[in-house]
Amino acid sequence: MLDKWKMDVDTRIEGAVDSTIDSKKNSDDDEIDLLEIFYALKRKILLIIAAGLLVGCVSGVFTQVAITPVYTSMSSLLVLSKETTLTSLADIQLGTSLTNDYRVLIESTPVLEQVIENLDLDMTADALRNSITIENPTDSRILEISVVNTDPEMAKEIVDEVANVSSVFIGDKMEVIPPKIIEVGKIPTVRSAPSVKKNAVLGLMFGAVVCAAIITICTIMDDTLKTEEDVAKYLGISVLASVPDRKDYAHAKGKRGKKRR
């Protein structure tokens, strides 16, 4: 009699499971429970933080040890159109417009090849051009030349030589007053790239996001029934009784024994 009752219960459960699965396949009711994902992430928050810290530390150490740092040195040129009319409005406007022409001339191949020859650099004109940045502050006649290099002293030497050679070249080719060097390069003491702090923060964010994504995917893919609420929610049947876990019972019994002693 008992065996027959068990068989009837098993048959009903299997039928309910099969019907539930079929209904989910044939309808659009299979939605992602955002609240369940939120609680799953909340339960694993320490794991997410630990993963972020681990990846962040590894990223920072890797940046500090394995990546070759580069340094930046800067020199400034003052563009002049005439020597005696520094207060003339027309002269100021002309000097401002000439900065665009000077920018092109500074990065021209003859200037770069002359710099390479003077310093005996082991690089091409294109490689040197890629290491040079020229900026013109708004409404000014100042050209800021920056050079990046893995050697801080070499960065200073290159930027000074670029400023000297380009000043002479511009004065000769354009037949104007050569730009005045108002600031020579300095030997940089702090790396300009890569940033250890920035890479560490990016690594922390990346590690936390990847860990959270893995937890989210595992939560979505997990279709096991763990509680009575899951049975009622996913199978649509009521739970008549539940059998407690034997380990939990033994653990609770051990606690009561300790309290009595």
Side-chain angles (χ1 to χ4, degrees):
M1 189 69 179
L2 182 59
D3 294 338
K4 183 178 180 181
W5 179 79
K6 288 182 178 180
M7 292 178 60
D8 292 340
V9 172
D10 292 340
T11 303
R12 292 179 182 179
I13 293 177
E14 290 177 359
V17 172
D18 293 338
S19 62
T20 303
I21 294 175
D22 293 337
S23 63
K24 287 185 177 181
K25 289 182 179 179
N26 298 327
S27 65
D28 297 327
D29 294 336
D30 190 11
E31 300 177 354
I32 299 176
D33 192 344
L34 298 179
L35 190 60
E36 182 179 356
I37 295 176
F38 171 76
Y39 284 121
L41 295 175
K42 185 178 179 181
R43 289 193 299 270
K44 301 292 185 179
I45 187 64
L46 294 179
L47 178 61
I48 295 174
I49 295 175
L53 292 175
L54 177 62
V55 177
C57 292
V58 171
S59 178
V61 172
F62 180 81
T63 302
Q64 181 71 31
V65 176
I67 301 180
T68 303
V70 295
Y71 301 87
T72 303
S73 183
M74 187 183 69
S75 178
S76 300
L77 298 178
L78 175 62
V79 177
L80 297 176
S81 60
K82 294 182 182 179
E83 212 169 42
T84 58
T85 56
L86 294 178
T87 58
S88 171
L89 179 60
D91 179 56
I92 294 175
Q93 293 175 347
L94 180 59
T96 303
S97 64
L98 286 176
T99 55
N100 294 325
D101 298 333
Y102 289 1
R103 186 198 304 267
V104 177
L105 292 174
I106 293 172
E107 294 183 331
S108 62
T109 301
V111 172
L112 300 180
E113 289 180 347
Q114 186 64 46
V115 172
I116 293 174
E117 181 181 351
N118 293 346
L119 296 178
D120 193 21
L121 300 177
D122 185 16
M123 64 173 61
T124 63
D126 291 336
L128 180 58
R129 184 180 294 108
N130 292 333
S131 67
I132 297 175
T133 302
I134 303 175
E135 296 181 353
N136 173 221
T138 306
D139 298 330
S140 71
R141 294 176 295 164
I142 304 298
L143 285 178
E144 297 177 346
I145 306 174
S146 300
V147 173
V148 296
N149 196 278
T150 55
D151 185 354
E153 295 182 358
M154 183 58 65
K156 171 190 166 35
E157 293 181 9
I158 293 176
V159 75
D160 288 342
E161 193 64 25
V162 169
N164 292 327
V165 173
S166 60
S167 177
V168 175
F169 182 81
I170 290 171
D172 180 43
K173 296 300 181 182
M174 297 189 67
E175 297 181 356
V176 295
I177 301 300
K180 304 296 183 181
I181 301 176
I182 60 176
E183 183 180 359
V184 298
K186 297 180 177 62
I187 299 177
T189 57
V190 180
R191 67 169 70 190
S192 57
S195 175
V196 177
K197 183 183 296 185
K198 179 181 178 181
N199 287 356
V201 172
L202 291 177
L204 188 149
M205 296 175 60
F206 177 78
V209 170
V210 171
C211 183
I214 294 175
I215 294 174
T216 301
I217 294 174
C218 293
T219 302
I220 295 175
M221 299 297 294
D222 187 9
D223 57 355
T224 59
L225 303 178
K226 301 180 179 64
T227 63
E228 296 87 345
E229 291 78 8
D230 291 342
V231 175
K233 179 179 180 181
Y234 296 107
L235 301 182
I237 58 178
S238 301
V239 178
L240 300 179
S242 61
V243 179
D245 191 351
R246 188 173 182 180
K247 294 180 180 179
D248 295 339
Y249 175 76
H251 182 66
K253 186 177 180 180
K255 284 186 176 181
R256 289 195 298 269
K258 291 180 179 179
K259 290 182 178 180
R260 290 174 180 175
R261 288 195 295 268

